[in-house]
Amino acid sequence: MKGRARHLILGGLVTLVLIAVVAWFSAAPQWRSLPEQTALLRLSFTHGGDRSAACRDRTEEELAALPKNMRARQICDRRRPPIFVELEVDGATVFAAERDPSGLAGSGPSRVYERLLLPAGPHDLTVRMRDRPDTEGFDYEATRRVELAPAQSFVIDFRPAEGGFVFH
Amino acid sequence: MSLRATLRRGLDRAERGLDPLFGPDWNPLANLGPLGWFLFWIVAATGVYLFIFFDTGVVDAYASVEWLSNDHWFHAGVARSLHRYASDLMVVVMLLHLAREFVYDRYRGKRWFSWVTGVPIVWFVYMSGITGYWLVWDQLAQYVAQTSTELLDALPIFAEPIARNFLTPESLSSRFFTLLVFLHIAIPLILLLAMWIHIQRISLARTKPPRGLAAITLAALVVVSLVLPASSQGPADLATVPAVVGLDWFLLGLYPVIDMVPPGVIWTGALLFTLVLIGLPWAPPRAEAPAAKVFLDHCNGCSRCVADCPYGAITLVRRSDGAPFLHEVEVDAGRCVACGICMGSCPSSTPFRRSGDLITGIDLPERSLAALRAEVIEAAAQLTGTGRVLTIACGFGAGGAPAPGRVVLPCVAMAPPSLFDFILSRGLADGVAIAGCAERDCQNRLGRSWTLQRIARERDPFLRNRVPRPRLLTVWAGPSEVARLEAETAGFAEALAAMGPYADQRPLDPAEARGAAAATTARAEQIVEAAK
């Protein structure tokens, strides 16, 4: 076997083995991203803090200094207040954090996206949120007892139109 | 021996192992860049073909991929496997290419541009692959999509977390899925643009592998695609977590790290890695000889140096000195690596000249033609006995170390063919060994090809017909093949001894010898000056 025929055969075999190895590693070995007998709980929503708490009425002097077409009685800060979120699992607080508004001017909604791995089985979930700085306690609260299956993806969302927290 | 020299010898040895299997010209390790291009086109062509059958709807995407993989496995299924395996192989080829250019020190100095423009290519290849995996919308796609978007959401640039699109089955819309398809088309197009920019500062860039190697690679890809077809991993279900997935370790190998390490660390690591890669050419920069210089009194604008420069550093411009020629050449000092190939290509580079100073049309300030002639005469004086061999060696090959009777150059193509004629006709040696770098790959890209074509009298400047070809030996050997170079040179010396002295000698006359001595003195002064 000489010349190019030899290169075609030997080089071809080497290339074949290389590509077979590449093909094998393109789907193996497997990766376990979630421990066995575990479920994933995600608390995720976007919600803008209520700006009305920081609003005030303009004084007569302030109104007089404005052009007639801009004399709105109330003035509100463009920046939204932060929200405070708390999550309890089986009576223990697993997440409690204040979330600032998004955007350069702080005028966007606050964002929450938290992942929590829980053992499969029954759990008592309580989630609370305060979106007004002048509220004592919380503006929204919801409790749910759930039975989580292994590898289940459970989501707590927040939809004001549906009355508050939503469990998926 | 420095770490780089050790690595270079090791890599040369490894590459040499593939030479008998593929042949030096088909050696895949010496064709990594062209192979990368070839694999890109395979991925692009199969991608266009798959798009014919692919449905971009959330529900239908998985079904369409299953249909083309199972019902139409013999064409669309093979195309899918080719698409995946060629992408994976492209990652392998790209990373080897990066490591190889680093080891061979081709990333610093004037060659920084190709290196720096190659860094974004690494990321675009990964992004192209990752967005491709999303489209199958199987469990692996779900894992990749959720992990990727959670990582992206760590950057404070999105008002709404993108990961929220993958929270529940209801939250993912077909419109968002169409955006993913768009990304998988747009990113490879940007990759192609980046690849084009990557080769802009080299001339005659090799974007096609040798046909044989391309045929071998394509055939092996097709065979593996038939034997081990790519498959999906069950439909995505956002109500569950894809706890166990078969990962593509080439394109998605970092995902386990993303799972385990906070996103801030991942982004910081990626940024640092990118900055380090970009900064490598200056850490430290390579000390390079000054760029080639044009001497208009000896240049008629013939453009041979323009054609031969491997780095596109020489251009033809309108004549500026009033001489009766249309053009002159101009050297871009920012691109010239001082390989000397231009000097070897210049018809004025003849060491036979006896009147006036030995000046050529384009010369290296630190290693002029006059200095080279002097070095050759000096090296020849060290040869004794019969079968004297004067070696013109490449500094990056087996003959890179100084030795008696040897002149080491940045590239053997720096030596004009008339220099070999000069050595033989002046009786400086009985034969000339041209010891270039390994046959599979030239450190200065085109030096080996030009040398071979010049001495085969196929490329201007031609070796004169009077030069007996048997008195020239070409040895293409990498740094790990010193023993082969020595053996071949010894065999050549024996053959020369049997031939006897060259018949048409006209010994060096005193004027030439004096000129050589003067040039040697000037060269010594240059070295002393540089040392200061």
Side-chain angles (χ1 to χ4, degrees), chain B residues 310-311 338-341 344 367 372 392-396 407-416 434-437 442-451 454 476:
Chain B
Y311 305 102
C339 63
I341 290 178
R367 197 124 184 231
L372 175 58
I392 301 290
C394 162
F396 301 95
V407 177
V408 181
L409 303 179
C411 179
V412 288
M414 176 178 168
I434 302 165
C437 42
C442 172
Q443 178 74 10
N444 282 302
R445 302 189 59 245
L446 303 169
R448 177 179 169 274
S449 301
W450 295 165
T451 302
R454 287 171 191 166
W476 309 106

Side-chain angles (χ1 to χ4, degrees), chain A residues 15-79:
Chain A
T15 310
L16 191 65
V17 170
L18 170 73
I19 294 175
V21 170
V22 166
W24 191 79
F25 277 107
S26 79
Q30 290 191 322
W31 166 248
R32 172 171 280 283
S33 64
L34 192 72
E36 286 181 89
Q37 296 301 314
T38 306
L40 173 67
L41 168 67
R42 278 178 291 177
L43 170 63
S44 172
F45 60 90
T46 59
H47 178 65
D50 190 345
R51 285 190 298 192
S52 62
C55 294
R56 67 174 178 82
D57 287 342
R58 284 195 169 100
T59 62
E60 292 303 324
E61 290 75 25
E62 283 176 323
L63 283 171
L66 290 169
K68 283 183 178 174
N69 63 323
M70 294 177 70
R71 288 177 184 168
R73 171 65 63 183
Q74 203 171 45
I75 181 169
C76 298
D77 190 3
R78 184 178 176 187
R79 185 178 179 82

Side-chain angles (χ1 to χ4, degrees), chain B residues 144-206:
Chain B
V144 172
Q146 286 176 331
T147 310
S148 307
T149 49
E150 285 171 7
L151 182 67
L152 282 170
D153 285 335
L155 300 173
I157 53 176
F158 302 105
E160 175 97 0
I162 321 173
R164 283 181 53 74
N165 287 288
F166 302 102
L167 277 184
T168 60
E170 304 80 42
S171 56
L172 183 59
S173 70
S174 288
R175 196 158 297 165
F176 186 78
F177 211 76
T178 307
L179 174 68
L180 300 186
V181 177
F182 168 76
L183 283 178
H184 190 53
I185 296 170
I187 294 172
L189 286 176
I190 299 171
L191 167 64
L192 180 60
L193 175 68
M195 287 165 64
W196 177 75
I197 293 171
H198 180 59
I199 56 169
Q200 284 311 295
R201 283 185 68 161
I202 50 174
S203 53
L204 301 174
R206 291 190 305 142

Side-chain angles (χ1 to χ4, degrees), chain B residues 259-315:
Chain B
D259 275 347
M260 294 183 281
V261 178
V265 177
I266 297 288
W267 284 117
T268 309
L271 182 67
L272 283 178
F273 174 73
T274 308
L275 291 177
V276 166
L277 272 187
I278 289 174
L280 271 180
W282 295 276
R286 183 171 47 213
E288 285 174 332
K293 197 175 168 189
V294 178
F295 293 89
L296 284 183
D297 288 349
H298 300 267
C299 170
N300 64 4
C302 71
S303 82
R304 290 183 180 92
C305 55
V306 179
D308 281 10
C309 177
Y311 305 102
I314 309 172
T315 45

Side-chain angles (χ1 to χ4, degrees), chain B residues 211-496:
Chain B
R211 281 186 186 174
L213 179 61
I216 284 173
T217 308
L218 183 60
L221 277 167
V222 171
V223 170
V224 173
S225 296
L226 287 167
V227 177
L228 296 169
S231 58
S232 305
Q233 300 184 25
D237 176 12
L238 291 172
T240 62
V241 181
V244 179
V245 285
L247 269 194
D248 180 329
W249 291 91
F250 300 98
L251 284 164
L252 310 173
L254 277 178
Y255 276 70
V257 183
I258 297 172
D259 275 347
M260 294 183 281
V261 178
V265 177
I266 297 288
W267 284 117
T268 309
L271 182 67
L272 283 178
F273 174 73
T274 308
L275 291 177
V276 166
L277 272 187
I278 289 174
L280 271 180
W282 295 276
R286 183 171 47 213
E288 285 174 332
K293 197 175 168 189
V294 178
F295 293 89
L296 284 183
D297 288 349
H298 300 267
C299 170
N300 64 4
C302 71
S303 82
R304 290 183 180 92
C305 55
V306 179
D308 281 10
C309 177
Y311 305 102
I314 309 172
T315 45
L316 210 57
V317 296
R318 188 163 288 281
R319 197 79 193 186
S320 64
D321 63 349
F325 303 108
L326 274 178
H327 299 109
E328 63 188 46
V329 293
E330 197 173 76
V331 176
D332 180 348
R335 293 188 180 194
C336 175
V337 304
C339 63
I341 290 178
C342 52
M343 191 173 104
S345 74
C346 182
S348 299
S349 296
T350 167
F352 287 101
R353 192 182 308 167
R354 283 184 289 174
S355 59
D357 294 335
L358 180 52
I359 297 172
T360 181
I362 186 162
D363 214 343
L364 294 185
E366 271 199 4
R367 197 124 184 231
S368 65
L369 179 65
L372 175 58
R373 182 175 71 171
E375 284 179 57
V376 164
I377 292 170
E378 198 178 309
Q382 298 162 347
L383 302 171
T384 53
T386 54
R388 295 166 305 147
V389 178
L390 196 143
T391 305
I392 301 290
C394 162
F396 301 95
R406 181 183 293 176
V407 177
V408 181
L409 303 179
C411 179
V412 288
M414 176 178 168
S418 55
L419 185 69
F420 311 139
D421 186 6
F422 178 78
I423 292 166
L424 294 174
S425 65
R426 291 293 181 264
L428 298 175
D430 299 311
V432 180
I434 302 165
C437 42
E439 182 177 351
R440 74 188 85 88
D441 193 20
C442 172
Q443 178 74 10
N444 282 302
R445 302 189 59 245
L446 303 169
R448 177 179 169 274
S449 301
W450 295 165
T451 302
L452 281 173
Q453 290 176 30
R454 287 171 191 166
I455 61 177
R457 300 166 182 122
E458 293 166 353
R459 188 177 188 87
D460 216 357
F462 305 109
L463 181 69
R464 288 174 75 177
N465 284 328
R466 72 177 188 181
V467 179
R469 186 63 183 81
R471 289 185 183 271
L472 292 183
L473 170 74
T474 51
V475 185
W476 309 106
S480 66
E481 296 175 277
V482 175
R484 180 163 73 86
L485 173 63
E486 286 173 356
E488 289 199 29
T489 309
F492 181 51
E494 281 177 22
L496 288 172

Side-chain angles (χ1 to χ4, degrees), chain B residues 84-129:
Chain B
R84 178 186 289 190
Y85 299 152
S87 308
D88 288 331
L89 197 57
M90 195 173 169
V91 173
V92 176
V93 162
M94 174 184 72
L95 296 179
L96 283 174
H97 183 51
L98 185 140
R100 190 171 186 268
E101 298 307 293
F102 176 78
V103 169
Y104 284 148
D105 201 6
R106 296 171 183 167
Y107 65 99
R108 294 191 292 168
K110 308 292 171 54
R111 298 177 82 163
W112 67 270
F113 181 85
S114 298
W115 178 269
V116 170
T117 55
V119 175
I121 290 177
V122 175
W123 292 122
F124 283 121
V125 165
Y126 278 108
M127 285 192 283
S128 301

